[in-house]
């Protein structure tokens, strides 16, 4: 499952030898050509991506003449590991682009139920917990066996839990956090695009005039906005591999930090409205039972723990880094994680704290802080500021789409590469990505209420972030039994599993109690 990099000096006799019997000119058997040799500068694949005579890779084969024992290198043909030219800057921007999402705008909603003290405490604990599991993933990517790397979360899960259990536990969470996030980006980005259009042409909100064309009844339907967003997103997603997306991630990181910073700064600047309260609304609170209140607490905890995302991409991002005997990828990756998560903390914590201070219980789960700003301050905020805010949100969604779609692209191309034993032609790659974009858009149109299912689906995928890395550390690294690391990972792993079960039960209870507004095909 991992890419094995290990040097073994054995050769077999061959008629094609030089007079000095130089080992480098001997033809190796197919089994020997699977060996990957680590040199001083990078991980190079001896015979897998090059010919025995120094030729370049051709469609993933080691020689233009496949009869010379060339060995097909599958990883060199897949978009995640096709290029290993990443660096600390690409790591930081990839992590920022994938780690800051629309879920963060719901953090003030959790504070309404938990209050100041417990809200900040839970947010700090969740941040520390998920940062620790990222450290675990970074360390496990490179195994104690010299040169072995796991560049995909699924591969690491299979190495830890075994082929059957690893696939059972990891396939759905990884694919949902990739494909499901793309669907949610279409829903969120499409709605923000519609709101941006209304602001530009002076329709509802934004303090503009009353252009007839921008009346809600005269605007295109939600399907049109979803389709427009998807077309642009798929166009951006045609970049060939994860390394080539670094420039897109730079834009995504800047717009993510910029838009969220703009929201909380403007919220403080505009001041607190007179009617803001920091307690659940009294009328609704009196009518609720103790069980309902307990369910609200669990939902608030779920909002906080699910605000941190991108763990399904950590190993993939690390897989873009080259090997170096002096500076292994894990060290570069962890430096990138440290820098990026300092910035993420400086973005998410002010959003949660300042958003709750500015809007209190006026922030709802439907739209979060951005909708609260629109409703409370939209009438007295210039169209330029509002337009900038929504434009940054749309650009951030467009930039996040391709990086979250990359594991899906990688999995789709794996089917072709495994069957044809060659790299995907450009037309096939474009076709696969168009297919995924169309499927994601169809799901977004068919299930525009998918955000309402986030507590349930998020609870199911929660172990991928908080539990599985801890169990994988015990199974792979085998720390001293009853030692500190053994107890820490065992405790966090089981706590994450229990939390996942509790959140799923709470979500099901909430659906049974309140019902679900399922507006199929009516975005």
């Amino acid at each position: 499952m991992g890419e094995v990099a290990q040097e073994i000096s054995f050769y077999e006799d061959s008629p094609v030898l030089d007079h000095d019997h130089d080992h480098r000119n001997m033809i190796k058997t197919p089994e020997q050509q699977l060996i990957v040799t680590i040199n001083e500068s990078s991980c190079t694949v001896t015979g897998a991506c090059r010919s025995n005579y120094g030729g370049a890779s051709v469609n993933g084969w080691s020689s233009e003449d496949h009869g010379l024992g060339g060995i097909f290198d599958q990883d060199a043909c897949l978009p995640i590991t096709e290029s290993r030219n990443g660096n600390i800057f690409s790591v930081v921007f990839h992590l920022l682009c994938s780690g800051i999402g629309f879920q963060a705008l719901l953090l003030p909603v959790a504070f309404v139920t938990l209050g100041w003290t417990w809200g900040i405490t839970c947010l700090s604990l969740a941040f520390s917990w998920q940062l620790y599991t990222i450290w675990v993933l970074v360390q496990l990517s490179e195994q104690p066996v010299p040169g072995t790397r796991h560049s995909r979360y699924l591969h690491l899960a299979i190495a830890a839990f075994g082929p059957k259990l690893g696939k059972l536990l990891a396939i759905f969470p990884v694919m949902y956090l990739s494909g499901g996030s793309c669907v949610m980006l279409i829903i969120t980005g499409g709605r923000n695009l519609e709101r941006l259009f209304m602001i530009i042409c002076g329709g509802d909100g934004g303090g503009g005039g009353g252009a007839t064309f921008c009346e809600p009844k005269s605007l295109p339907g939600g399907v049109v906005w979803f389709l427009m967003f998807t077309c642009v997103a798929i166009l951006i997603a045609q970049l060939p591999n994860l390394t080539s997306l670094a420039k897109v991630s730079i834009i995504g990181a800047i717009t993510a930090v910029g838009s969220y910073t703009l929201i909380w700064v403007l919220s403080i600047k505009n001041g607190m409205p007179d009617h803001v309260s920091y307690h659940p609304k009294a009328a609704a609170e009196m009518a609720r039972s103790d069980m309902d209140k307990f369910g609200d607490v669990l939902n608030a905890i779920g909002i906080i723990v699910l605000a941190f995302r991108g763990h399904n991409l950590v190993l993939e991002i690390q897989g873009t880094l080259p090997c170096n005997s002096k500076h292994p990828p894990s060290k570069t990756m962890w430096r990138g994680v440290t820098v990026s998560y300092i910035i993420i903390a400086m973005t998410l914590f002010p959003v949660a704290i300042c958003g709750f201070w500015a809007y209190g219980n006026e922030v709802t789960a439907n739209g979060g802080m951005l909708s609260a700003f629109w409703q409370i301050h939209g009438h007295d905020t210039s169209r330029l500021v509002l337009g900038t805010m929504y434009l940054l949100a749309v650009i951030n969604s467009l930039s996040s789409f391709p990086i979250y779609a990359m594991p899906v692209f990688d999995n789709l191309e794996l089917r072709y590469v495994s069957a044809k034993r060659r790299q995907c032609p450009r037309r096939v790659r474009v076709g696969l990505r168009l297919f995924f974009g169309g499927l994601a858009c169809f799901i977004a149109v068919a299930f525009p209420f998918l955000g309402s299912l986030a507590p349930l689906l998020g609870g199911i995928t929660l172990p991928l972030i908080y539990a599985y890395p801890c169990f994988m550390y015990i199974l792979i690294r085998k720390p001293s039994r009853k030692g500190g690391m053994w107890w820490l990972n065992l405790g966090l792993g089981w706590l994450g599993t229990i939390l996942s079960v509790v959140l799923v039960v709470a979500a099901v209870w909430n659906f049974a109690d309140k019902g679900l507004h399922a507006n199929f095909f009516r975005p």
Side-chain angles (χ1 to χ4, degrees):
M1 291 294 105
E3 300 96 24
V4 180
Q6 182 178 357
E7 183 174 2
I8 299 178
S9 57
F10 60 91
Y11 299 80
E12 78 172 6
D13 294 335
S14 170
V16 185
L17 300 175
D18 67 1
H19 295 291
D20 297 326
H21 301 284
D22 187 350
H23 288 173
R24 290 173 298 177
N25 291 330
M26 296 182 182
I27 294 182
K28 304 174 186 178
T29 63
E31 291 77 9
Q32 294 165 349
Q33 291 194 2
L34 287 174
I35 303 302
V36 181
T37 304
I38 296 181
N39 59 26
E40 288 297 322
S41 60
S42 65
C43 281
T44 61
V45 182
T46 305
C49 292
R50 300 174 174 83
S51 70
N52 295 329
Y53 306 100
S57 164
V58 180
N59 287 332
W61 287 87
S62 62
S63 173
E64 291 184 8
D65 183 359
H66 295 180
L68 288 177
I71 295 302
F72 180 72
D73 179 27
Q74 184 171 273
D75 273 340
C77 300
L78 298 176
I80 288 177
T81 49
E82 187 177 63
S83 171
R84 295 190 187 270
N85 297 322
N87 53 47
I88 188 172
F89 297 104
S90 65
V91 167
V92 169
F93 290 121
H94 280 324
L95 290 172
L96 286 173
C97 186
S98 61
I100 303 177
F102 51 86
Q103 296 93 335
L105 296 176
L106 299 178
L107 287 172
V109 179
F111 277 51
V112 174
T113 302
L114 298 176
W116 286 107
T117 303
W118 283 109
I120 295 175
T121 301
C122 291
L123 183 60
S124 302
L125 290 175
F127 178 81
S128 303
W129 189 354
Q130 61 86 34
L131 188 60
Y132 170 73
T133 58
I134 290 180
W135 176 84
V136 170
L137 291 174
V138 169
Q139 301 306 313
L140 293 182
S141 175
E142 298 166 23
Q143 299 300 312
V145 177
T148 303
R149 297 179 67 180
H150 295 292
S151 299
R152 293 164 182 83
Y153 196 106
L154 179 60
H155 291 183
L156 182 61
I158 291 175
F161 300 116
K164 293 184 178 179
L165 185 59
K167 291 179 180 179
L168 179 65
L169 294 177
I171 283 183
F172 173 76
V174 169
M175 287 300 103
Y176 169 74
L177 290 175
S178 298
S181 294
C182 291
V183 173
M184 285 303 305
L185 286 169
I186 292 174
I187 295 173
T188 305
R191 289 172 178 169
N192 287 338
L193 188 61
E194 180 180 11
R195 187 64 61 88
L196 175 63
F197 183 81
M198 293 172 63
I199 293 171
I200 292 174
C201 69
D204 183 28
T212 304
F213 181 69
C214 289
E215 292 298 323
K217 292 183 180 179
S218 61
L219 286 173
V223 176
V224 175
W225 300 110
F226 286 11
L227 186 60
M228 290 173 59
F229 179 91
T230 305
C231 290
V232 178
I234 288 298
L235 182 63
I236 298 173
Q238 294 304 321
L239 291 170
N241 52 60
L242 190 54
T243 303
S244 64
L245 283 177
K247 295 179 181 179
V248 177
S249 292
I250 292 175
I251 298 174
I254 294 174
T255 53
V257 175
S259 61
Y260 290 176
T261 302
L262 183 62
I263 291 174
W264 69 261
V265 168
L266 289 176
S267 298
I268 292 179
K269 178 180 177 294
N270 290 332
M272 183 197 317
D274 296 333
H275 60 280
V276 166
S277 171
Y278 300 118
H279 303 284
K281 295 184 178 181
E285 186 71 7
M286 293 177 62
R288 300 181 68 80
S289 65
D290 292 338
M291 191 63 185
D292 292 331
K293 295 177 182 178
F294 181 68
D296 289 342
V297 172
L298 293 178
N299 287 331
I301 294 175
I303 290 174
I304 289 177
V305 297
L306 295 175
F308 302 101
R309 62 179 199 163
H311 288 63
N312 60 310
L313 296 170
V314 169
L315 295 177
E316 285 76 357
I317 294 172
Q318 187 171 346
T320 64
L321 296 173
C323 283
N324 189 298
S325 58
K326 295 181 180 179
H327 302 285
S330 58
K331 291 186 177 180
T332 303
M333 183 68 183
W334 183 243
R335 287 199 297 268
V337 170
T338 303
V339 173
S340 61
Y341 271 84
I342 289 175
I343 299 174
I344 289 174
M346 294 171 62
T347 304
L348 264 59
F349 276 80
V351 166
I353 296 171
C354 298
F356 183 52
W357 176 85
Y359 306 114
N361 58 14
E362 295 299 320
V363 183
T364 63
N366 185 18
M369 191 173 170
L370 191 58
S371 293
F373 184 91
W374 173 275
Q375 294 170 4
I376 297 176
H377 299 299
H379 63 283
D380 57 2
T381 303
S382 69
R383 285 167 53 188
L384 177 61
V385 173
L386 282 174
T388 302
M389 189 181 300
Y390 277 91
L391 177 62
L392 291 175
V394 170
I395 294 175
N396 174 245
S397 297
L398 288 170
S399 303
S400 300
F401 185 94
I403 189 171
Y404 269 93
M406 193 56 69
V408 180
F409 297 157
D410 190 84
N411 195 43
L412 290 175
E413 292 187 27
L414 173 63
R415 303 295 179 264
Y416 179 93
V417 171
S418 299
K420 300 293 185 178
R421 305 290 292 172
R422 64 188 180 95
Q423 191 171 21
C424 276
R426 183 172 179 80
R427 64 181 182 277
V428 175
R429 175 170 283 181
V430 171
L432 290 174
R433 298 185 181 191
L434 288 175
F435 165 75
F436 171 74
L439 179 61
C441 185
F442 174 79
I443 295 174
V445 172
F447 305 97
F449 57 91
L450 191 62
S452 301
L453 298 175
L456 175 62
L457 298 176
I460 296 174
T461 60
L462 186 73
L464 183 140
I465 302 173
Y466 294 95
Y468 294 163
C470 302
F471 290 135
M472 289 191 289
Y473 186 90
I474 294 175
L475 293 171
I476 294 177
R477 289 297 173 90
K478 295 178 172 56
S480 177
R481 198 171 184 84
K482 309 302 182 183
M485 290 299 292
W486 189 87
W487 279 112
L488 175 64
N489 286 281
L490 186 67
L492 290 178
W494 279 113
L495 182 60
T497 303
I498 294 171
L499 182 60
S500 172
V501 173
V502 171
L503 291 180
V504 170
V505 172
V508 172
W509 175 274
N510 188 53
F511 290 146
D513 181 40
K514 297 181 179 178
L516 177 66
H517 179 62
N519 51 326
F520 292 100
F521 294 98
R522 288 186 295 174

